[in-house]
Amino acid sequence: MAVEAAKRPTTTKRPQRLVSKLTLRLQRLLGHYMFSSLTRRILFLNLAGLGVLVSGILYLNQFRDGLIEARVESLMTQGEIIAGAIASSATVETDSISIDPEKLLELQAGESLAPGSDQLDSLDFPINPERVAPVLRRLISPTRTRARIYDRDANLLLDSRHLYSRGQILRYDLAPVEEEDEGALTRIERFISTIFRRSGLPLYKEQPGGNGSAFPEVMSALTGVPSKVVRVSEQGEQIVSVAVPVQRFRAVMGVLMLSTQGGDIDKIVAEERKAILRVFGVAALVTVVLSMLLASTIANPLRRLSAAAVRVRRGVKSREEIPDFSDRQDEIGNLSVALRDMTNALYARIEAIESFAADVSHELKNPLTSLRSAVETLPLARNEESRGRLMDVIQHDVRRLDRLITDISDASRLDAELARDDARRLDLKVFLTDLVDASQETARHKKKVEITFQSDKPPQGKGFTVIGHDLRLGQVITNLIENARSFVSDEGGRIAISLSRHGKFVVLTVEDNGPGIRADNIERIFERFYTDRPSGEAFGQNSGLGLSISRQIVEAHSGTLTAENIPGGKPGEVRGARFLVTIPAES
């Protein structure tokens, strides 16, 4: 029994773990895929705009004001009809005869006094409630309008609430024994009605004894002018009241006051609001669906691009691919293309660094091996001549190492310097003139080589100005001149430099009359540490990085550096080598 009791908790933990795993996966699905941060923002902004629009419609809805105006006109028309019927049912009552003694003395024998207009003014037309009540009942019964009749002293004569026909059964709703809890929808509806309720309306109160003097519309109607007032009850329901004078022969006999039941207008407005809210619900549902679709077309590609970028950062051993969305003609497609190009450039840079490191190690290993061998052999030298040769080898290898390290350091700093330094406007014609002059001065102390510079006349309105780094472009030109100088002979050596403009590009040409380039090595001369020197030149005088660095600098300026042989007059004859530098001109 103890063993069974000990095993039961392990069996109950399995379903709990399963439920927790499913819950975690569901949270990830909803949080990362369906309701990501971007999705929530899109949903919130779209629904917020729709909510503001609906709130404005509910607040500025003209339906309520138009409904009140229509109700007032209806009550006015109804009141005039009922007032006319009441006035026609009134009776003339007078039990007094007015006699003027002065006029009686003026009468002659046989004459009588004719009734005048002043006697008509003394006639009274009282409203008889017994005769008016049946008329009022017949006219008011089809409607839910409350009618009250006041006399000329604003005293209440009749109230339609207390008019009952013969045989009518009166029913009164008893108060509930227990108060019923309002539902959520009822509370929401009341809250919305409270927010959008008209403010500034007078409060409606029943007057004790039915005195009409407390109603401004009644007092205004007693002067013969119909009037209207909109009030609000203690429950927040709007009540429209209209007062119409009851007149006969221009004499005001009383006032007929018609009022709507509390909640009549509010119910119609509430139904209208419900219709607007139903439309809002449908529009909100459509907005949510469209927002989800829009978010899926934005968030999902961005999520895939972000995950791919993380894999690129972590994937050291394998090469990761960035999702291709280039078929999308939008910003996400442009972002995908940019990330793919950046990733490819990154991998190309990594491969270049690995290749560069391998080449550097290989190039440094050769002089180091030679230097080590010379150093180990030096103690074994038997005479001074052998020691001198070994010392020459050591000094040569040290100079070669110094040259290699200097060129390697220059090549490794090249990208950073080009990215960090700002490019400037540079007039290549002026710049080349200064460089050629400096090279000619240098040529006096080296080989006797003729260096010439020629510039074509540029098209009208165009020059030889480019945007670039003057130090690095000067390094390119110097490398090309020194490379050409190393291949020409001492006697009759010639280097021709020319500058021309071809469309949007400035073309710099460096030509020499040396032996040219072997056809199978034209592109290899731009590889790192590749050397193909003249036969008479000592070994180790060049690192093989000059042309490679020059091409790298020109490509950093969005240009090209190529090489070709200058054909001679006979088939297969070569008169020298030509290097072409093409750089975009300033636009």
Side-chain angles (χ1 to χ4, degrees):
M1 296 295 292
V3 175
E4 294 180 357
K7 289 183 178 180
R8 285 176 185 173
T10 59
T11 57
T12 56
K13 288 181 180 179
R14 292 178 181 176
Q16 294 178 357
R17 292 177 181 175
L18 182 61
V19 171
S20 62
K21 289 182 180 179
L22 292 176
T23 305
L24 183 60
R25 290 181 180 179
L26 183 61
Q27 289 178 354
R28 288 180 179 177
L29 176 65
L30 295 178
H32 296 283
Y33 292 94
M34 296 183 63
F35 294 101
S36 62
S37 176
L38 182 60
T39 304
R40 290 194 297 269
R41 292 179 185 179
I42 293 175
L43 282 174
F44 174 76
L45 293 177
N46 290 338
L47 291 179
L50 185 60
V52 170
L53 177 62
V54 172
S55 300
I57 293 175
L58 292 176
Y59 184 77
L60 302 175
N61 189 14
Q62 302 297 326
F63 175 78
R64 177 179 55 191
D65 297 335
L67 181 63
I68 293 175
E69 292 296 330
R71 191 63 171 160
V72 167
E73 293 179 1
S74 175
L75 289 178
M76 280 289 187
T77 303
Q78 185 179 3
E80 291 175 357
I81 295 173
I82 296 175
I86 293 173
S88 63
S89 63
T91 57
V92 180
E93 293 185 1
T94 179
D95 31 349
S96 61
I97 300 175
S98 299
I99 300 175
D100 188 356
E102 297 294 335
K103 292 184 179 182
L104 288 176
L105 295 174
E106 295 176 359
L107 293 176
Q108 300 295 326
E111 292 182 352
S112 61
L113 181 64
S117 59
D118 55 346
Q119 292 180 346
L120 293 177
D121 295 336
S122 65
L123 296 179
D124 190 12
F125 298 90
I127 299 176
N128 188 352
E130 295 181 356
R131 299 189 60 181
V132 172
V135 177
L136 186 64
R137 185 188 302 115
R138 287 194 301 269
L139 296 176
I140 292 300
S141 296
T143 65
R144 298 184 71 254
T145 306
R146 180 183 179 183
R148 280 167 284 189
I149 299 178
Y150 297 90
D151 60 8
R152 285 179 292 189
D153 296 328
N155 296 319
L156 181 63
L157 297 178
L158 289 174
D159 191 343
S160 62
R161 282 187 176 180
H162 309 296
L163 294 178
Y164 312 112
S165 59
R166 182 178 300 176
Q168 180 178 357
I169 300 176
L170 303 180
R171 300 178 61 183
Y172 298 95
D173 295 331
L174 299 177
V177 180
E178 297 180 357
E179 294 184 358
E180 297 181 357
D181 294 335
E182 294 182 346
L185 294 178
T186 304
R187 289 195 294 269
I188 293 174
E189 183 179 355
R190 179 174 296 180
F191 176 73
I192 295 175
S193 300
T194 304
I195 293 176
F196 298 108
R197 181 183 300 167
R198 289 182 63 183
S199 58
L201 296 178
L203 182 64
Y204 176 83
K205 290 183 179 180
E206 289 286 347
Q207 300 300 321
N211 189 3
S213 60
F215 298 115
E217 63 270 29
V218 173
M219 302 307 295
S220 177
L222 285 175
T223 62
V225 180
S227 182
K228 63 178 181 179
V229 175
V230 180
R231 296 184 178 87
V232 62
S233 65
E234 296 179 354
Q235 292 78 20
E237 299 172 340
Q238 293 185 8
I239 299 176
V240 179
S241 299
V242 172
V244 180
V246 180
Q247 294 178 324
R248 187 171 185 182
F249 299 112
R250 292 180 300 176
V252 178
M253 299 182 295
V255 174
L256 171 64
M257 179 178 176
L258 300 179
S259 303
T260 60
Q261 296 292 336
D264 287 351
I265 296 177
D266 297 276
K267 288 179 181 179
I268 299 175
V269 173
E271 291 297 327
E272 184 68 19
R273 285 175 178 166
K274 288 180 181 179
I276 294 175
L277 292 178
R278 283 194 294 268
V279 175
F280 167 73
V282 175
L285 180 61
V286 174
T287 301
V288 168
V289 174
L290 295 179
S291 299
M292 295 290 291
L293 293 176
L294 176 62
S296 64
T297 60
I298 298 176
N300 290 340
L302 292 179
R303 189 181 301 109
R304 291 180 58 187
L305 291 175
S306 175
V310 173
R311 290 195 304 269
V312 169
R313 179 175 62 86
R314 296 177 178 176
V316 179
K317 298 182 179 180
S318 61
R319 180 164 183 163
E320 298 291 340
E321 288 291 336
I322 301 295
D324 186 10
F325 298 110
S326 57
D327 55 338
R328 294 181 49 153
Q329 302 298 324
D330 55 6
E331 287 75 8
I332 294 180
N334 297 335
L335 177 62
S336 171
V337 173
L339 285 178
R340 286 175 64 86
D341 294 342
M342 182 186 68
T343 305
N344 293 332
L346 178 62
Y347 282 125
R349 182 64 57 83
I350 294 174
E351 293 174 356
I353 292 174
E354 293 176 351
S355 176
F356 184 74
D359 295 340
V360 167
S361 63
H362 175 73
E363 292 298 325
L364 291 178
K365 189 175 182 180
N366 291 334
L368 284 176
T369 302
S370 176
L371 182 62
R372 179 181 178 182
S373 177
V375 171
E376 292 177 351
T377 308
L378 183 62
L380 302 177
R382 296 180 180 181
N383 50 41
E384 292 298 328
E385 183 180 357
S386 298
R387 288 191 183 93
R389 287 197 301 268
L390 290 175
M391 291 301 297
D392 292 339
V393 172
I394 291 174
Q395 292 177 3
H396 177 272
D397 290 337
V398 169
R399 288 193 298 270
R400 184 182 175 190
L401 282 174
D402 181 67
R403 190 181 304 109
L404 281 172
I405 292 173
T406 302
D407 291 343
I408 290 170
S409 176
D410 189 22
S412 62
R413 295 195 312 267
L414 180 60
D415 290 339
E417 291 181 1
L418 291 176
R420 183 171 54 250
D421 297 339
D422 294 333
R424 301 179 180 88
R425 298 177 71 255
L426 181 63
D427 189 347
L428 282 184
K429 184 176 181 180
V430 178
F431 187 64
L432 282 173
T433 302
D434 298 337
L435 278 179
V436 169
D437 293 341
S439 298
Q440 289 174 349
E441 291 294 330
T442 305
R444 296 178 182 178
H445 305 285
K446 296 183 180 180
K447 292 182 178 181
K448 297 180 180 180
V449 178
E450 180 186 359
I451 302 176
T452 60
F453 172 65
Q454 180 182 359
S455 174
D456 296 343
K457 185 177 181 180
Q460 184 68 26
K462 297 181 180 180
F464 299 105
T465 304
V466 298
I467 303 297
H469 304 80
D470 52 354
L471 294 179
R472 290 301 179 178
L473 289 177
Q475 181 181 356
V476 172
I477 299 170
T478 303
N479 286 344
L480 294 178
I481 293 176
E482 294 301 323
N483 180 77
R485 192 200 303 270
S486 64
F487 281 95
V488 298
S489 60
D490 293 340
E491 299 296 334
R494 182 176 54 83
I495 300 174
I497 302 173
S498 62
L499 187 65
S500 60
R501 178 72 182 260
H502 296 280
K504 298 181 179 179
F505 297 92
V506 177
V507 180
L508 169 65
T509 305
V510 179
E511 297 180 352
D512 62 66
N513 58 350
I517 309 170
R518 287 187 294 181
D520 55 343
N521 292 341
I522 290 181
E523 281 301 318
R524 290 197 61 191
I525 63 175
F526 296 105
E527 296 179 1
R528 286 192 300 267
F529 303 109
Y530 177 82
T531 56
D532 186 10
R533 310 309 302 171
S535 58
E537 185 175 313
F539 175 75
Q541 297 299 320
N542 292 276
S543 63
L545 289 173
L547 292 179
S548 175
I549 293 175
S550 298
R551 172 173 276 188
Q552 189 176 356
I553 294 173
V554 173
E555 289 179 349
H557 288 79
S558 302
T560 58
L561 173 58
T562 58
E564 62 184 10
N565 288 318
I566 302 175
K570 299 179 181 180
E573 182 182 3
V574 176
R575 293 192 299 108
R578 179 188 294 124
F579 288 86
L580 299 174
V581 179
T582 304
I583 301 177
E586 181 187 19
S587 57

